[in-house]
Amino acid sequence: MIRVGNFGSMIESVSRRAFGGSSGTYNVRATELARDRRLKTLSVTVVFLDDTKQLFQLEKRAKGQALLELVFTHLELTEKHYFGLQFSDNGAPPNLANTDLMRWLDPTKPVKKQMRGPGYFYLRVKFYVSDPSKLQEEYTRYHFYLQIRKDILSGKLLVPPSTACLLASYTVQSELGDYHPDEHGPKYLVGMALMPGQTEEIEKKISELHKLHKGQTPADAEFNFLDHAKRLDMYGVDLHRARDSSGKELQLGVTSNGLVIFQNGTKINSFSWGKIVKISFKRKQFFIQLKREQGESYDTLLGFNIVTYRSCKVLWKSCIEHHTFFRLHSPAIKRRTPLPLGSKFSYTGRTEVQSMEEAKLRMKSEKTFIRCSSRKLVVNTPEEKAKTGITSSTRSSRPYDNKVTSLSHEPRRAWAESSPTNLGDDEGGFLERTVVEDHSRAFTPVLPPRTISYADEDPDLVERPTTATGIYEVSHIDSANQPCDDGLVCIRMTPDEEGRFGFNVKGGSDLAMPILVSRVAPNTPADRCYPKLNEGDQVLFINGIDVTGMPHEQVVNLIRASRDSRVGELLLTVRPSSVYDPGEAVEEEPVYQYVTDSTAVRETLEQSMAALSDGLMTGSLIVQFDHLFRKKLGLSTSHASLPQNTNANRYTDILPYDLTRVILECGTNGDYINANYVNMEIPGSGIINRYIATQGPLAQTVGDFWEMVWETGCSLIVMVTGLVERGRIKCHKYWPNIGESMEAAGLRIKSIRCHYNNPAGYICNTLTLHHIQSEVEREVTQLQYIGWPDHGVPDNAAVFLQFINEVRRCRQNMLEPTVVHCSAGIGRTGVLILMETALCLIEANQPVYPIEIVTNMRDQRAMMVQTSSQFRFVCTCILHAFTEGFCKPLPEYIYH
């Protein structure tokens, strides 16, 4: 045994050379520390959208995908591919000041290398869904709702004041439920963070809107919040700072549809993915190469200067990710090259199509989750409660307060394209003789559709949040004399900077006509206010003054005087055009007339479908539709206006042209019926599809309807409306029940078979027509489409196409015209004829131009395809039919 005290002297006596060559050492402590370092985990903090935090432990070398899976598992978030984790290069929380420093966690790289500062990551929506109805789970929609609220409150998403108040009212409905005067005091919104610049006056406006959402569950309110938010110009735009070649500051926005360019907050140009051939970057320069147009011998290359090289690459990556996620069915396969040049980045996650397919295959999960509160403070004392307007109530709490279970049904929508009083009726905006109001349905505000601005527009015409705030402006006008019954609407508006309200009126006591709105100019206070002023509305009161007995000039002077008053606000009380009968047809004043260029070179079918896709993405196609004439100039409707025929018209301003009207030979009430022949020729095929577009029969015109069916030899009737929708009669029941018979106009009509097709949403009714005098009998098929909702348009293009397929099957080898009707015989009727015409053009390998088809239809019957939402829907169906292979060119029309 060697004592420690002698160990040092012994080493000194030994040759250093001998010791080094024949001995060894083993560092026990260092080895154990190395073992501990290998076993050490990585601590990562994730901040969720409700601002709660969670600490996650990762293996030190774990990649980003591992952290993402931990987060999604912790949240039980199944539709996870829309989300990502963000961090900033300087480690600071996300805000407007460090937008250029924000990065997305790369799933393929180690988390350790992407951590900055204290190691905080923030859950955010990475890909903004174009329509909230695409999301299957209420829980997913709730996270989108939280994200957009955060975008609004932070100032990232700019919202006009009127829209911001409406969105805030949905938040209040989601958190507090229905408005109750005994529970919600005058200041019950104090302490809730609802929108930037929130004031007491704004809270009053939000409260008024909150009262209108009665009956909506939190899921309903959040769904409607998202549906209005998706229409905002800046919704889902990933902005990046840039400069053009002259040094002007720009912002490049990456969206689901392509690239958008902003200057000083105004959109000056947009490029859809369909027009972009290639995107690239080199150092701090970003390039997009555009598709070569017809007649061009070179491609267009646009370049932009980005702030830093890193920011330029981030922009480039964002383009790749958005294009892949929204445009491809699956990510592109990464090919290996022997000498790779440039960045090797590619998007490796799921696409939107894959995500939706996964969600449909997976059963909807019944989650229970807690909704976070918007309250900025906690009220405890009675004094504080009184200050914020919160009172105690014995009313039992709602079953869905705070803690809710995911709903299996579709949330109740609260939007439409038409005026609020119309609530989205597809035949709305026209003057109906018989109106049955539905007072049981809760009223919910509707915003006008988003307008599209272009680089060559006058900047003064671009919507400014500071003007035309409409109903949300505080009025100082005494409205005690304003009538407020259910049939009237009060509209407030302020003039623009040039002192204009943007609408015209006609009529007056001197003209023996009511005061009617004759024109509303686009993008003016009258067009942007809420509720929106519409052509055909009857003006009853102006600033509380009854104008029903005033001459025209006095009414105009009264409107001008309000512009020059101290308040500068105009308050109109109107009876919307959809709920009154002025006693005579109101002739429309066409402001625009869009004429297609027939001299242009015809495209191939594929080129026309690409143009259709681009037109839908950029909105240019909808703008063209809005500028089409609705009634053909020079075509008279004198027969429809004859006194003996006026009672045969369901709507007083939807009248058949004399030139193409159906003339009855043996009509019980004469030769008149509200119907037009509409013939659609398919070029290159020799096919002419013949239709009769007509209104839904009235009780007094059922005999005329069946007489028309008999005289024209029709054997197919297509009905695209319900008998009653939202309490309003749309069509009189003109056929008997199954097994029963009825007589009309010398005909005995009997129903012999009835079949309901559930997937395609239609009823097939087989009828026999027996002519009593001649004893001749004929079989007629009636197809009634019931899959069209009572507002808006169908949600499922595939289901609608199944019904169109059945119509086409029944029309095979038919030379006689097919009778098509809805209520007015123009809206859904026009959609069906446009859809079938487009499918025939595809089969004939001919280009499809929906604008030309609508123009052709309106040459034969006025106003065919009534609203832009209907036109957008049918264009989407055409594109779906072509891209999904539902309809293909027939072999005999394919030229080799």
Side-chain angles (χ1 to χ4, degrees):
M1 180 176 179
I2 302 175
R3 297 184 65 181
V4 177
N6 297 330
F7 187 67
S9 59
M10 184 181 74
I11 292 179
E12 290 178 1
S13 64
V14 178
S15 168
R16 291 180 181 273
R17 182 177 179 182
F19 182 78
S22 60
S23 303
T25 59
Y26 177 72
N27 195 327
V28 177
R29 181 57 180 162
T31 305
E32 291 183 351
L33 288 175
R35 178 203 64 186
D36 293 340
R37 282 196 296 269
R38 284 195 299 270
L39 296 176
K40 190 175 181 181
T41 57
L42 190 66
S43 296
V44 175
T45 302
V46 175
V47 182
F48 301 124
L49 285 166
D50 59 0
D51 292 328
T52 58
K53 301 176 183 178
Q54 178 66 32
L55 186 66
F56 293 95
Q57 299 293 333
L58 291 169
E59 194 275 326
K60 190 175 180 180
R61 297 178 182 175
K63 293 187 176 180
Q65 187 61 42
L67 177 57
L68 286 169
E69 292 301 329
L70 282 176
V71 170
F72 296 143
T73 302
H74 172 79
L75 291 175
E76 300 181 42
L77 194 61
T78 53
E79 293 177 285
K80 56 191 178 182
H81 305 296
Y82 295 94
F83 300 87
L85 292 176
Q86 267 194 320
F87 64 95
S88 61
D89 276 345
N90 60 2
N95 55 64
L96 288 180
N98 66 348
T99 303
D100 291 334
L101 302 177
M102 297 306 300
R103 308 287 181 253
W104 290 102
L105 178 71
D106 191 331
T108 63
K109 294 181 179 179
V111 176
K112 177 67 175 177
K113 291 186 177 180
Q114 303 180 71
M115 289 182 65
R116 303 290 187 273
Y120 275 64
F121 290 88
Y122 300 85
L123 180 71
R124 294 291 184 265
V125 172
K126 187 173 186 179
F127 302 112
Y128 286 75
V129 66
S130 59
D131 192 327
S133 61
K134 290 183 178 181
L135 303 174
Q136 300 294 314
E137 298 279 349
E138 174 192 334
Y139 188 51
T140 314
R141 289 194 289 268
Y142 175 66
H143 277 79
F144 267 78
Y145 159 78
L146 290 178
Q147 176 67 77
I148 295 172
R149 283 202 60 236
K150 192 175 289 291
D151 291 346
I152 293 173
L153 291 172
S154 67
K156 177 183 176 183
L157 179 58
L158 300 178
V159 187
S162 57
T163 309
C165 289
L166 178 59
L167 296 178
S169 69
Y170 285 124
T171 296
V172 177
Q173 177 69 21
S174 172
E175 296 188 18
L176 304 184
D178 295 346
Y179 176 84
H180 289 275
D182 58 336
E183 182 178 347
H184 301 124
K187 296 184 179 181
Y188 71 103
L189 299 182
V190 172
M192 295 185 73
L194 298 172
M195 59 183 286
Q198 187 171 326
T199 63
E200 185 176 347
E201 292 299 327
I202 287 176
E203 289 173 358
K204 288 180 180 179
K205 299 172 188 176
I206 295 172
S207 177
E208 290 301 314
L209 291 168
H210 174 212
K211 297 174 184 178
L212 304 178
H213 303 323
K214 187 175 182 180
Q216 292 187 24
T217 66
D220 293 333
E222 290 157 8
F223 188 93
N224 292 322
F225 178 100
L226 293 176
D227 186 72
H228 285 292
K230 76 179 184 183
R231 309 177 191 192
L232 296 169
D233 284 335
M234 300 300 293
Y235 170 81
V237 179
D238 180 24
L239 285 177
H240 301 260
R241 288 195 299 157
R243 292 178 183 271
D244 62 10
S245 57
S246 62
K248 291 182 181 178
E249 290 191 359
L250 303 171
Q251 284 184 307
L252 301 184
V254 187
T255 71
S256 59
N257 293 329
L259 279 171
V260 185
I261 303 176
F262 295 88
Q263 187 175 37
N264 298 325
T266 302
K267 183 170 69 174
I268 62 173
N269 214 335
S270 61
F271 305 100
S272 66
W273 293 125
K275 286 186 175 292
I276 298 176
V277 177
K278 187 183 296 183
I279 53 176
S280 56
F281 79 99
K282 185 175 183 181
R283 296 185 180 89
K284 295 192 293 183
Q285 290 184 310
F286 177 77
F287 303 96
I288 55 174
Q289 181 180 334
L290 303 180
K291 185 189 299 181
R292 184 179 305 177
E293 300 294 342
Q294 287 187 355
E296 292 182 348
S297 58
Y298 57 88
D299 294 334
T300 301
L301 185 67
L302 300 179
F304 303 89
N305 296 314
I306 311 302
V307 180
T308 64
Y309 158 76
R310 183 73 184 274
S311 298
C312 192
K313 188 172 182 180
V314 167
L315 169 60
W316 179 74
K317 286 184 176 181
S318 179
C319 291
I320 294 174
E321 291 173 332
H322 279 76
H323 176 263
T324 305
F325 184 83
F326 288 106
R327 293 280 288 185
L328 302 184
H329 285 79
S330 60
I333 300 175
K334 197 173 181 179
R335 294 182 174 87
R336 291 187 177 182
T337 56
L339 293 173
L341 299 175
S343 175
K344 296 179 289 184
F345 174 79
S346 63
Y347 177 69
T348 57
R350 291 285 193 272
T351 65
E352 185 179 41
V353 172
Q354 291 174 325
S355 181
M356 292 174 63
E357 289 175 350
E358 286 182 8
K360 289 177 181 178
L361 294 175
R362 184 174 52 246
M363 293 294 292
K364 285 188 178 181
S365 57
E366 296 292 329
K367 293 186 181 67
T368 300
F369 60 93
I370 305 295
R371 284 178 160 85
C372 68
S373 174
S374 297
R375 291 240 171 239
K376 296 179 287 188
L377 51 89
V378 179
V379 180
N380 295 316
T381 66
E383 292 79 7
E384 289 172 324
K385 289 183 180 180
K387 194 175 294 183
T388 57
I390 300 175
T391 61
S392 60
S393 174
T394 56
R395 185 174 64 91
S396 59
S397 62
R398 302 171 301 159
Y400 46 76
D401 275 337
N402 297 324
K403 198 170 185 179
V404 299
T405 303
S406 296
L407 303 176
S408 58
H409 64 81
E410 181 74 8
R412 182 161 65 93
R413 297 171 182 253
W415 71 92
E417 186 168 342
S418 55
S419 63
T421 55
N422 194 28
L423 288 175
D425 183 6
D426 80 302
E427 308 299 345
F430 298 104
L431 316 178
E432 190 173 6
R433 292 190 170 275
T434 305
V435 179
V436 181
E437 291 293 345
D438 180 10
H439 298 294
S440 61
R441 182 176 294 273
F443 171 78
T444 304
V446 181
L447 289 181
R450 180 173 62 187
T451 57
I452 299 171
S453 56
Y454 297 92
D456 57 351
E457 283 186 357
D458 185 349
D460 291 336
L461 297 181
V462 179
E463 180 175 353
R464 290 182 295 273
T466 57
T467 61
T469 52
I471 195 173
Y472 306 120
E473 289 292 332
V474 181
S475 174
H476 300 283
I477 298 175
D478 182 10
S479 58
N481 296 325
Q482 296 294 310
C484 297
D485 60 51
D486 292 333
L488 305 183
V489 174
C490 293
I491 300 175
R492 291 184 177 91
M493 68 184 78
T494 54
D496 60 17
E497 293 177 354
E498 297 181 12
R500 299 174 304 180
F501 291 110
F503 70 98
N504 291 338
V505 294
K506 63 182 178 181
S509 60
D510 54 332
L511 302 174
M513 283 182 61
I515 304 298
L516 302 176
V517 177
S518 61
R519 183 177 302 171
V520 178
N523 206 25
T524 60
D527 181 55
R528 296 196 301 262
C529 66
Y530 179 80
K532 179 183 176 183
L533 191 65
N534 293 289
E535 295 179 12
D537 289 351
Q538 181 179 353
V539 181
L540 301 177
F541 289 79
I542 297 178
N543 296 337
I545 302 174
D546 188 351
V547 298
T548 52
M550 287 187 182
H552 177 79
E553 185 176 356
Q554 189 175 350
V555 172
V556 174
N557 290 336
L558 194 59
I559 296 173
R560 291 173 179 169
S562 64
R563 176 189 60 191
D564 302 326
S565 66
R566 179 180 59 84
V567 177
E569 182 183 68
L570 177 65
L571 175 60
L572 300 178
T573 301
V574 303
R575 179 177 287 120
S577 60
S578 57
V579 296
Y580 79 99
D581 177 11
E584 63 178 68
V586 179
E587 288 295 332
E588 181 174 338
E589 300 180 14
V591 183
Y592 302 101
Q593 183 165 344
Y594 177 83
V595 182
T596 55
D597 185 4
S598 58
T599 62
V601 179
R602 302 292 286 186
E603 299 173 314
T604 64
L605 171 61
E606 290 74 15
Q607 289 172 330
S608 71
M609 299 311 291
L612 174 59
S613 176
D614 291 343
L616 285 174
M617 287 182 182
T618 62
S620 61
L621 197 63
I622 309 303
V623 173
Q624 292 178 20
F625 173 82
D626 289 337
H627 288 178
L628 276 176
F629 66 87
R630 295 170 67 81
K631 296 178 182 178
K632 183 72 171 178
L633 297 177
L635 293 184
S636 65
T637 57
S638 57
H639 281 83
S641 303
L642 294 175
Q644 65 268 28
N645 295 332
T646 54
N647 288 332
N649 300 317
R650 177 175 291 276
Y651 302 89
T652 60
D653 63 344
I654 302 177
L655 308 175
Y657 296 139
D658 294 332
L659 184 64
T660 57
R661 74 181 182 94
V662 177
I663 300 175
L664 301 179
E665 296 178 3
C666 303
T668 55
N669 300 313
D671 68 355
Y672 177 76
I673 186 171
N674 192 315
N676 289 102
Y677 290 106
V678 178
N679 298 330
M680 306 303 294
E681 182 178 358
I682 310 302
S685 67
I687 298 173
I688 299 179
N689 290 333
R690 305 181 190 276
Y691 305 91
I692 293 176
T694 184
Q695 67 181 19
L698 298 161
Q700 64 268 27
T701 63
V702 169
D704 296 328
F705 178 84
W706 283 116
E707 182 66 32
M708 177 183 67
V709 171
W710 180 261
E711 289 183 3
T712 57
C714 166
S715 59
L716 176 63
I717 301 171
V718 183
M719 177 178 178
V720 279
T721 184
L723 293 175
V724 178
E725 293 180 353
R726 296 193 309 282
R728 299 176 63 182
I729 298 174
K730 291 294 184 180
C731 177
H732 185 79
K733 191 172 186 293
Y734 56 87
W735 68 96
N737 295 326
I738 183 71
E740 299 179 0
S741 61
M742 59 176 283
E743 291 188 8
L747 296 167
R748 183 178 296 111
I749 304 102
K750 183 176 182 179
S751 175
I752 57 176
R753 287 189 304 275
C754 186
H755 168 68
Y756 173 58
N757 187 302
N758 184 36
Y762 68 87
I763 297 173
C764 180
N765 197 11
T766 304
L767 308 166
T768 58
L769 264 62
H770 181 83
H771 195 270
I772 298 174
Q773 184 176 358
S774 65
E775 295 294 328
V776 178
E777 190 171 276
R778 188 168 79 234
E779 190 173 280
V780 174
T781 300
Q782 183 209 41
L783 296 177
Q784 182 186 2
Y785 184 54
I786 59 176
W788 200 294
D790 63 356
H791 62 257
V793 294
D795 297 323
N796 194 322
V799 173
F800 178 70
L801 287 171
Q802 290 182 44
F803 173 68
I804 297 295
N805 190 49
E806 179 62 18
V807 173
R808 302 188 70 207
R809 188 189 67 79
C810 294
R811 279 177 53 86
Q812 284 183 349
N813 303 319
M814 184 185 296
L815 298 178
E816 299 76 20
T818 296
V819 172
V820 185
H821 77 86
C822 44
S823 181
I826 58 170
R828 307 181 200 186
T829 298
V831 168
L832 184 135
I833 296 175
L834 171 53
M835 187 71 236
E836 188 178 6
T837 302
L839 294 180
C840 290
L841 287 169
I842 292 175
E843 289 181 341
N845 200 24
Q846 294 291 319
V848 179
Y849 302 112
I851 292 292
E852 282 191 6
I853 299 173
V854 173
T855 302
N856 190 4
M857 288 193 293
R858 290 184 179 180
D859 284 343
Q860 302 172 77
R861 182 169 174 85
M863 306 184 199
M864 294 289 276
V865 186
Q866 182 185 343
T867 67
S868 56
S869 64
Q870 292 173 349
F871 182 70
R872 185 186 299 108
F873 167 73
V874 71
C875 288
T876 303
C877 291
I878 294 170
L879 200 59
H880 178 84
F882 179 78
T883 56
E884 299 299 323
F886 179 87
C887 184
K888 300 178 181 178
L890 299 176
E892 56 265 35
Y893 297 113
I894 299 176
Y895 307 109
H896 300 285

